[in-house]
Amino acid sequence: MRRRYVSLAAAGLAATMTLTLTGCGSGSGGKDVALTLIAADYGDSKANSSQRYWDGLVRAFEEQNPGIKVDVKVYNWTDVDKKVEELVDSGKAPDMAQVGAYADYAARGKLYGADDLLSIPVQADFTPSLAEAGEYQRKQYGMPFGASTRRLFYNKKLFAAAGITAPPQNWSDILSDAQALKAHGVKIPFALPLGPEETQAETLEWMLAGGGDYTDQIGKYTINSPENVKTFEWLQKELVGKDLTGGDPAKLNREDAFAGFADGNVGMLNGHPTLMKQAEAKGIDYGTVELPGTTGKAKATMGVADWMMAFKQNGHRAEVGKFLDFVYSKKNVLTFSADYNLLPVTSSASQAMLADDRFSKLHGFLNQLPNAHFYPSNKTSWPLVSKTVKSRMGAVVGPQGNPSATLTDIQNIADTADNSTE
């Protein structure tokens, strides 16, 4: 699949903008068509709500396509998945939804495939790793919308004060740097947010750093692999056991860890691009590096993507495809990414961002995206596995934790769920 997308991109990328902005006739049979989209909110206030982005995009689209109307309703992340589920279960599916997961709807046969909707150049323009992450049973149903990768953030002022002259490159560096920060009085030398908010993310970051992953190359769960067990035994003994995390990781959520970094109380932590804006707003002088691994850089970083999907129920395939071709034009993808400090999901917008010095602080994150590893969101068992990870992994690194036993328990739950959905 990777080769297919790359070859398509080479053949058709230059035509993307032309095709997305032409062929703008009316809806089916000359009648106006009204499309509905439920979308997630990436803003942190009313002033920068995603509703503003969508309102502007829809106005531009409707001017070029007078026979198609688009109604976009934006919900916060706490409510959006539930809202879509309620609409689908009540027989009132929206034409499109931009949310966190797609596999369950694909498995139930409710979605159009990407190749049923998009022009070839637009579909070929998706970053290949993201396109592959959007596949269910080897067909793409999830169209990536907004992406990020992870890097290690460090506070330059705290590092300098503790006599640390370079950022960590491996786990030995993390340990020695954390010890130096603690000796200098830093409240949280290394923030390890394994609280329930986003445990599944921090868990994957450390799995990758230790040479493991949630799954292997053919999609089989490998949660209790020797690499993963060793990783969490190291965290338990070297960071938590030596009091270098400033408290119990099971009680620390990502949001609080980020706030602590922005307040100058955290020496190091794994973070995504939105932390940059948060830290800069508080005047923190920070740096970022690729995630350190056991003896050098991690084999890969974690990538996260949210998903656009299109439901078959209302039958507006042609109109939805025309709208999504417009959504995924280089200009619109770049605008959205810039507005919300996210990474573009298309090759053309990524190239434009890399060529623009205004986005230099995002370049390190963006360069990692092609080889990033994602949640196994193409597995219908993943929501249960993710929920289990959230409830169990925080305690693993505590004084009473048993990494091997807990990871094996989660592995068994994952295998059972996986087998029941085949």
Side-chain angles (χ1 to χ4, degrees):
M1 288 303 296
R2 182 181 296 275
R3 287 193 296 273
R4 179 169 81 88
Y5 282 107
V6 170
S7 62
L8 285 171
L13 188 57
T16 301
M17 286 300 291
T18 301
L19 289 182
T20 58
L21 298 178
T22 57
C24 301
S26 62
S28 301
K31 298 180 181 179
D32 284 358
V33 171
L35 303 178
T36 55
L37 166 62
I38 303 296
D41 194 353
Y42 290 83
D44 55 15
S45 67
K46 188 174 181 180
N48 71 343
S49 167
S50 295
Q51 190 72 57
R52 296 187 63 182
Y53 170 80
W54 284 113
D55 288 348
L57 184 145
V58 166
R59 280 195 301 270
F61 174 78
E62 291 179 349
E63 286 177 4
Q64 298 182 30
N65 298 271
I68 306 175
K69 302 296 181 184
V70 185
D71 179 29
V72 181
K73 288 185 169 60
V74 171
Y75 294 83
N76 64 47
W77 276 105
T78 305
D79 301 325
V80 67
D81 287 287
K82 183 179 179 182
K83 179 64 178 179
V84 173
E85 183 179 0
E86 289 173 350
L87 289 170
V88 173
D89 290 346
S90 65
K92 300 176 182 178
D95 292 288
M96 296 162 283
Q98 182 268 300
V99 291
Y102 66 88
D104 181 58
Y105 297 114
R108 291 156 62 188
K110 294 186 175 295
L111 302 180
Y112 287 117
D115 53 3
D116 298 324
L117 300 163
L118 303 174
S119 63
I120 290 175
V122 171
Q123 188 179 6
D125 198 21
F126 288 129
T127 299
S129 60
L130 293 170
E132 291 171 11
E135 292 178 0
Y136 174 74
Q137 295 185 344
R138 299 190 177 185
K139 180 170 180 176
Q140 185 183 0
Y141 294 94
M143 291 161 278
F145 191 89
S148 67
T149 59
R150 301 297 191 264
R151 290 170 70 83
L152 183 138
F153 283 69
Y154 63 98
N155 184 311
K156 289 183 176 181
K157 181 179 178 181
L158 296 180
F159 266 51
I164 305 170
T165 58
Q169 301 296 316
N170 55 49
W171 288 1
S172 294
D173 292 344
I174 287 179
L175 176 57
S176 60
D177 291 349
Q179 289 172 324
L181 290 164
K182 180 182 178 182
H184 191 67
V186 174
K187 185 177 180 180
I188 305 176
F190 196 106
L192 186 64
L194 289 172
E197 180 189 359
E198 206 182 42
T199 325
Q200 80 284 4
E202 191 74 15
T203 296
L204 179 54
E205 289 161 20
W206 283 99
M207 284 179 170
L208 292 169
D213 204 335
Y214 280 122
T215 60
D216 60 19
Q217 291 184 337
I218 61 171
K220 179 178 171 56
Y221 283 112
T222 55
I223 294 167
N224 66 337
S225 68
E227 293 84 0
N228 290 342
V229 172
K230 289 179 182 178
T231 291
F232 287 93
E233 287 177 343
W234 185 87
L235 288 171
Q236 181 187 41
K237 177 184 177 182
E238 303 295 348
L239 288 190
V240 182
K242 293 180 179 177
D243 194 25
L244 299 175
T245 57
D248 184 0
K251 298 179 180 178
L252 180 65
N253 281 324
R254 183 202 64 182
E255 182 179 357
D256 297 325
F258 279 19
F261 187 81
D263 288 338
N265 296 322
V266 173
M268 296 175 279
L269 79 169
N270 298 330
H272 53 66
T274 58
L275 180 54
M276 297 190 300
K277 182 178 179 180
Q278 195 172 346
E280 289 164 3
K282 294 288 190 74
I284 299 297
D285 185 16
Y286 66 90
T288 72
V289 293
E290 293 183 43
L291 298 184
T294 51
T295 58
K297 293 177 182 178
K299 72 171 186 178
T301 188
M302 171 186 161
V304 173
D306 302 317
W307 303 100
M308 178 75 74
M309 54 189 167
F311 289 90
K312 294 178 179 178
Q313 180 178 317
N314 300 319
H316 297 144
R317 183 182 65 82
E319 293 80 14
V320 169
K322 189 172 290 187
F323 178 67
L324 291 178
D325 269 2
F326 186 79
V327 168
Y328 285 107
S329 69
K330 179 173 71 173
K331 176 184 176 182
N332 288 330
V333 171
L334 189 60
T335 297
F336 176 80
S337 303
D339 284 352
Y340 297 103
N341 252 11
L342 291 167
L343 305 181
V345 297
T346 62
S347 297
S348 59
S350 295
Q351 291 162 7
M353 180 174 278
L354 287 171
D356 193 331
D357 288 341
R358 290 179 301 164
F359 304 113
S360 59
K361 290 185 177 180
L362 282 170
H363 290 174
F365 294 90
L366 184 53
N367 283 325
Q368 298 177 148
L369 187 57
N371 297 313
H373 287 225
F374 297 84
Y375 299 133
S377 54
N378 60 333
K379 298 169 79 68
T380 56
S381 56
W382 171 242
L384 173 61
V385 175
S386 177
K387 181 180 179 180
T388 306
V389 168
K390 286 183 177 182
S391 66
R392 301 285 303 272
M393 286 306 294
V396 164
V397 296
Q400 306 303 317
N402 186 327
S404 180
T406 300
L407 289 170
T408 297
D409 285 347
I410 299 174
Q411 175 75 35
N412 291 335
I413 291 169
D415 286 340
T416 300
D418 211 24
N419 292 335
S420 68
T421 58
E422 288 181 353

